[in-house]
């Protein structure tokens, strides 16, 4: 059985998900079932289902406007969706369904924020914080959201910068240049 | 320089009036700013009812001249039985009036942040309060700084209206001196120069803030 399957369609049938690496284990990290999302009258996601196992690298490919970004934004609850469910490491996120009435409730902002802390997201245009320098951009979330001690977070940030070959960049310089 | 004798003789008196003007403007600007930011946040994040209430407040206050408002409250106060010293009465009116304008300036600053910044902050798992504190407000305040400084300058000049309800400050002091010396041109040139100096200093300080402090570098 393939560990990743995708049923249904993004709004363009040519979109598809390609599996890059075989799953080292069968633990389901991300599971999407029957996701449906529309902007007004335009149905962007039509019954999208997929599963991603731990360690797996998945690429979603499709022409622009086919709903790739919308799919990612739904996972992170940056978009609301009308139907379907998303589960991360076994835990449903975003919505909770009342067992008796079958009614769907959006989780509280606090719960959603907590879920987002475990999900990494890189935006198409990076969306760096322009009023912070490179180092502040990297440590903002660990320090302010997760409560990592600042010195520790900065040391880790420098390690990461070195890892991607940016150790030469002055980490306290403006972010505008860093984006390029 | 004999023509300016009256001005030179009364300059110290005018400066004391100016001190009162500055005191009054500062006392009004601080609460106006706090209330203004609060109004802007409630306007953006509040419920429908809150929003309508704030809109009503904004339209009402922005649609009435400050002079009319000051006079109205001046006559209203004794009837309500609220015994507020006149100084604090006018400070209250001026700050409520300017809060309406300040809130619109800050609201514009907050709304002009690109959606991408909100998305980025939310995707990092920030709660609304944290998002406002470290992502939204630092950038919004920077955007709102220039019109905010203009409003502060306008507030300083607006204090000249309070002489109409009998409060003593620079304009009132000038009028007193004019009555005594019958030298309106000289005295009001002096008063204008003092007002200009205060406002110019404020505008310069605002520019300094914009460049140095708010840009951070």
């Amino acid at each position: 059985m393939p560990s990743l399957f995708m049923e249904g369609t993004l709004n363009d049938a040519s979109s598809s998900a390609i599996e890059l690496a075989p799953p080292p284990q069968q633990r389901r990290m991300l599971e999407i079932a029957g996701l449906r999302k529309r902007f007004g009258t335009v149905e962007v996601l039509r019954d999208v289902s997929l599963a991603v196992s731990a360690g797996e690298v998945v690429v979603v490919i499709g022409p622009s406007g086919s709903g790739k970004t919308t799919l990612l934004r739904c996972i992170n609850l940056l978009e609301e969706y009308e139907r379907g469910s998303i589960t991360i490491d076994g835990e449903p996120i975003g919505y909770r369904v009342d067992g008796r009435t079958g009614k769907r409730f959006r989780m509280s902002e606090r719960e959603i924020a907590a879920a987002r802390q475990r999900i990494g997201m890189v935006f198409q245009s990076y969306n760096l914080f322009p009023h912070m320098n490179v180092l502040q951009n990297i440590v903002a979330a660990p320090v302010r959201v997760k409560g990592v001690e600042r010195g520790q977070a900065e040391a880790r940030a420098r390690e990461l910068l070195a890892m991607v070959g940016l150790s030469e960049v002055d980490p306290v310089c403006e972010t505008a240049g860093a984006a390029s | 320089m004999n023509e300016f004798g009256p001005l030179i003789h009364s300059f110290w008196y005018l400066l004391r009036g100016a001190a009162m003007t500055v005191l009054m403007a500062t006392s009004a600007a601080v609460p106006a700013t706090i209330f203004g930011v609060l109004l802007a946040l409630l306007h953006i994040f509040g419920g429908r009812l809150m929003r309508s209430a704030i809109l009503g407040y904004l339209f009402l206050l922005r649609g009435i001249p400050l002079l009319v408002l000051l006079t109205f409250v001046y006559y209203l106060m004794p009837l309500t039985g609220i015994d507020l010293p006149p100084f604090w009465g006018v400070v209250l009116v001026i700050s409520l009036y300017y809060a309406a304008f300040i809130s619109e300036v800050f609201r514009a600053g907050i709304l002009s942040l690109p959606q991408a910044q909100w998305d980025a902050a939310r995707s990092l798992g920030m709660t609304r309060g944290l998002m406002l504190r470290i992502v939204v407000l630092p950038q919004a305040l920077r955007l709102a700084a220039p019109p905010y400084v203009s409003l502060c300058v306008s507030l300083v000049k607006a204090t000249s209206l309070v002489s109409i309800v009998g409060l003593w400050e620079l304009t009132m002091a000038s009028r007193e001196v004019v009555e005594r010396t019958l030298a309106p041109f000289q005295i009001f040139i002096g008063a204008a120069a003092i007002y200009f100096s205060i406002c110019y200093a404020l505008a310069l300080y605002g520019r300094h803030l914009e460049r140095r402090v708010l840009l951070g570098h």
Side-chain angles (χ1 to χ4, degrees):
Chain A
M1 189 187 85
S3 62
L4 176 116
F5 54 89
M6 195 160 173
E7 296 161 359
T9 51
L10 302 174
N11 77 351
D12 187 301
S14 55
S15 287
S16 57
I18 296 175
E19 188 185 313
L20 287 189
Q25 50 186 5
Q26 287 299 314
R27 185 168 163 210
R28 289 278 169 84
M29 286 309 290
L30 169 68
E31 227 170 339
I32 300 176
L35 188 64
R36 208 174 264 215
K37 163 79 188 167
R38 56 169 73 234
F39 289 114
T41 54
V42 184
E43 199 167 35
V44 184
L45 301 174
R46 191 178 306 139
D47 252 339
V48 174
S49 301
L50 65 87
V52 181
S53 300
E56 205 174 10
V57 176
V58 173
V59 180
V60 179
I61 296 174
S64 66
S66 62
K68 309 178 295 290
T69 304
T70 304
L71 176 65
L72 293 181
R73 289 174 64 91
C74 284
I75 296 174
N76 214 349
L77 263 294
L78 291 176
E79 296 290 350
E80 317 245 317
Y81 45 91
E82 289 83 44
R83 261 209 264 163
S85 66
I86 297 177
T87 311
I88 289 187
D89 203 9
E91 277 177 55
I93 75 158
Y95 297 91
R96 185 174 289 123
V97 177
D98 187 272
R100 275 187 314 126
T101 59
K103 264 196 178 165
R104 208 170 72 127
F105 298 98
R106 197 164 192 274
M107 287 180 176
S108 74
E109 279 308 312
R110 198 159 286 279
E111 286 173 289
I112 289 173
R116 285 187 185 129
Q117 289 177 25
R118 303 169 54 215
I119 305 170
M121 181 158 183
V122 179
F123 293 90
Q124 213 148 17
S125 49
Y126 311 114
N127 301 6
L128 295 169
F129 300 130
H131 61 300
M132 299 182 188
N133 61 40
V134 176
L135 205 60
Q136 287 170 332
N137 259 286
I138 302 174
V139 303
V143 172
R144 307 306 289 269
V145 179
K146 293 213 161 171
V148 177
E149 194 257 319
R150 183 170 288 274
Q152 208 180 329
E154 285 185 359
R156 177 83 182 122
R158 285 176 200 277
E159 270 174 44
L160 291 172
L161 282 172
M163 213 163 93
V164 293
L166 286 176
S167 54
E168 295 303 309
V169 176
D170 177 9
V172 289
C173 69
E174 297 288 343
T175 37
S180 56
Chain B
M1 287 307 286
N2 224 0
E3 295 86 359
F4 280 91
L7 175 59
I8 294 165
H9 283 297
S10 55
F11 202 65
W12 180 243
Y13 190 67
L14 292 187
L15 277 186
R16 274 170 48 206
M20 195 59 182
T21 292
V22 170
L23 179 68
M24 198 178 287
T26 317
S27 310
V30 172
T33 304
I34 296 171
F35 189 42
V37 173
L38 209 68
L39 276 179
L41 290 176
L42 288 173
H43 195 158
I44 295 174
F45 300 109
R48 187 195 293 257
L49 201 70
M50 176 66 80
R51 237 183 262 196
S52 325
I54 290 174
L55 267 181
Y57 179 82
L58 293 184
F59 279 118
L60 186 69
L61 283 199
R62 285 187 307 184
I64 300 175
L66 182 56
L67 186 56
V68 172
L69 207 62
L70 280 169
T71 319
F72 182 73
V73 173
Y74 176 73
Y75 286 111
L76 182 77
M77 277 295 194
L79 298 180
T80 55
I82 302 170
D83 192 18
L84 204 60
F87 176 85
W88 292 112
V90 300
V91 161
L92 182 73
V93 172
I94 294 175
S95 43
L96 290 179
Y97 185 77
Y98 272 88
F101 293 89
I102 289 174
S103 85
E104 285 295 86
V105 161
F106 282 123
R107 191 168 71 94
I110 294 171
L111 292 183
S112 55
L113 260 202
Q115 179 63 35
Q117 289 290 307
W118 297 89
D119 284 350
R122 286 201 289 169
S123 75
L124 290 173
M126 291 183 188
T127 51
R128 185 181 276 172
L130 187 64
M131 189 153 61
L132 280 177
R133 240 186 15 256
I134 74 175
V135 175
V136 176
L137 287 183
Q139 298 186 69
L141 294 185
R142 195 167 87 196
L143 289 164
Y148 171 69
V149 171
S150 297
L151 278 178
C152 287
V153 169
S154 151
L155 187 151
V156 170
K157 292 183 293 179
T159 58
S160 67
L161 295 174
V162 306
S163 59
I164 211 81
V165 291
L167 263 103
W168 188 82
E169 38 65 68
L170 179 52
T171 302
M172 181 66 131
S174 309
R175 280 171 34 192
E176 286 172 356
V177 175
V178 168
E179 276 166 27
R180 216 170 51 225
T181 61
L182 301 178
F185 292 114
Q186 292 90 321
I187 299 303
F188 274 110
I189 285 174
I194 295 174
Y195 272 119
F196 179 81
S197 310
I198 297 171
C199 294
Y200 188 61
L202 188 59
L204 280 187
Y205 182 65
R207 288 193 74 93
H208 164 82
L209 270 187
E210 263 172 58
R211 276 206 218 114
R212 288 281 185 69
V213 184
L214 293 168
L215 285 174
H217 295 285

